[in-house]
Amino acid sequence: MTSNAMFEGVFCPSITIMNADGTIDYDNWGKHLDHLVDAGVDGVLLFGSIGEFYAIDVKTKAEAARFAVSKVAGRMKVLVGVGDTNLNNVKALAAESEAAGVDALLAVSPYYFGPSPDCAKRYFSAVAKATTLPVILYNFPARTGNDLTPELVAELAGENPNIVGIKDTVDTISHTRKVIAAVRKVNPSFSVLSGFDEYYIVNRISGGNGVLSGLTNVEPETFVKLHRAWEAGDHAAVVEAAERVSYLMRLYDTADLFISAIKGAVKAKGLPIDTSVHEPAVQLTDEQYRTIRAILDK
């Protein structure tokens, strides 16, 4: 059991809600954060993949971190993604986030030049040493071009006490299971979260701690129901919620980019947001939005 893990349950990688001109729409983002809190989500991540971290400057991210900490006011954990191809930018955002009072940082592998294991070890260790905050690794090899192997994760956790978790976005539970087995020998309370929504149950069966996944933007209540039912041993409720999550997975296939699909679904749920994503991108079409609405109406 891993009940003393720092990060356990349901975590939402928030969309970055913008106005049509590309500026942050803090009014609607604040309402979105309130919805997550009211639903019972355990924490929110700013500037993960769905948060378009790759297209937003450090100054804007730091401003958003201060906003989120103030808005959430301790009602759930606030995490900030510090991903960048420039280590100086990573360190700068880490410092700004720590000063803002966030609860943890999430660090993804630098991309384009996918780092070798030795380079990745140097990189993540440098991030960990740049802050006193807890650091969660982010493994997304489909996007970064390299994998954080179970052995590397265990080494990083063993050498850096403030590396306390990982978001494993790999579409096979065997990878996550092997990460759990390797890292728990080093740190029994290390948090392992799955990045794919429909992996909550197999993550927990494997000894993991839950999910940090995109559909929590759309129906956070469903994921909280799933988590609480699992904790209570209510298997019928677990199956019911998991079936809903499985159904909702088709939302990801409705748009050119999954970020657009999630933004469209949040809008369809009633929050009047602009669904634009940073260019270059194929923006959500009216036909795609109608398809999203039809899915959510069932």
Side-chain angles (χ1 to χ4, degrees), residues 84-294:
D84 203 293
T85 55
N86 184 317
L87 184 57
N88 288 332
N89 288 343
V90 174
K91 291 180 177 179
L93 183 55
E96 291 278 7
S97 298
E98 185 165 348
V102 308
D103 296 288
L105 306 178
L106 181 132
V108 71
S109 295
Y111 43 94
Y112 190 72
F113 289 114
S116 66
D118 286 345
C119 182
K121 189 174 177 180
R122 287 171 56 87
Y123 174 80
F124 286 111
S125 294
V127 176
K129 288 176 172 59
T131 184
T132 63
L133 290 171
V135 175
I136 299 173
L137 306 174
Y138 182 11
N139 188 34
F140 199 175
R143 298 284 171 171
T144 63
N146 75 296
D147 178 44
L148 300 183
T149 65
E151 296 76 19
L152 178 57
V153 174
E155 287 181 27
L156 285 166
E159 297 175 13
N160 300 277
N162 63 326
I163 294 182
V164 299
I166 186 171
K167 175 185 179 181
D168 200 28
T169 307
V170 179
D171 200 8
T172 168
I173 196 62
S174 64
H175 185 281
T176 306
R177 175 174 47 78
K178 291 174 183 177
V179 168
I180 293 167
V183 76
R184 291 283 169 72
K185 295 175 184 177
V186 176
N187 179 358
S189 62
F190 192 92
S191 298
V192 180
L193 303 169
S194 286
F196 284 97
D197 306 84
E198 57 193 336
Y199 279 13
Y200 177 89
I201 295 174
V202 286
N203 173 286
R204 298 307 304 274
I205 289 172
S206 300
N209 302 91
V211 292
L212 174 51
S213 57
L215 288 173
T216 54
N217 284 280
V218 182
E219 284 193 10
E221 300 85 357
T222 298
F223 286 85
V224 172
K225 177 183 176 182
L226 174 59
H227 174 59
R228 290 178 178 170
W230 175 271
E231 295 285 296
D234 185 347
H235 295 157
V238 166
V239 170
E240 180 183 5
E243 287 176 343
R244 177 63 178 173
V245 171
S246 180
Y247 170 78
L248 291 174
M249 289 298 294
R250 66 194 66 196
L251 287 168
Y252 284 114
D253 299 322
T254 59
D256 181 75
L257 185 64
F258 62 94
I259 303 168
S260 297
I262 297 299
K263 285 190 173 184
V266 170
K267 180 178 179 180
K269 279 287 188 176
L271 190 63
I273 65 171
D274 187 275
T275 62
S276 300
V277 298
H278 284 89
E279 295 286 353
V282 177
Q283 303 297 334
L284 192 70
T285 67
D286 290 342
E287 182 179 355
Q288 290 168 342
Y289 181 63
R290 286 193 292 271
T291 299
I292 289 168
R293 289 183 62 107

Side-chain angles (χ1 to χ4, degrees), residues 62-83:
E63 180 183 86
R66 292 190 289 270
F67 160 76
V69 169
S70 176
K71 181 66 176 175
V72 169
R75 295 176 293 163
M76 64 178 171
K77 289 184 170 68
V78 176
L79 291 62
V80 170
V82 294

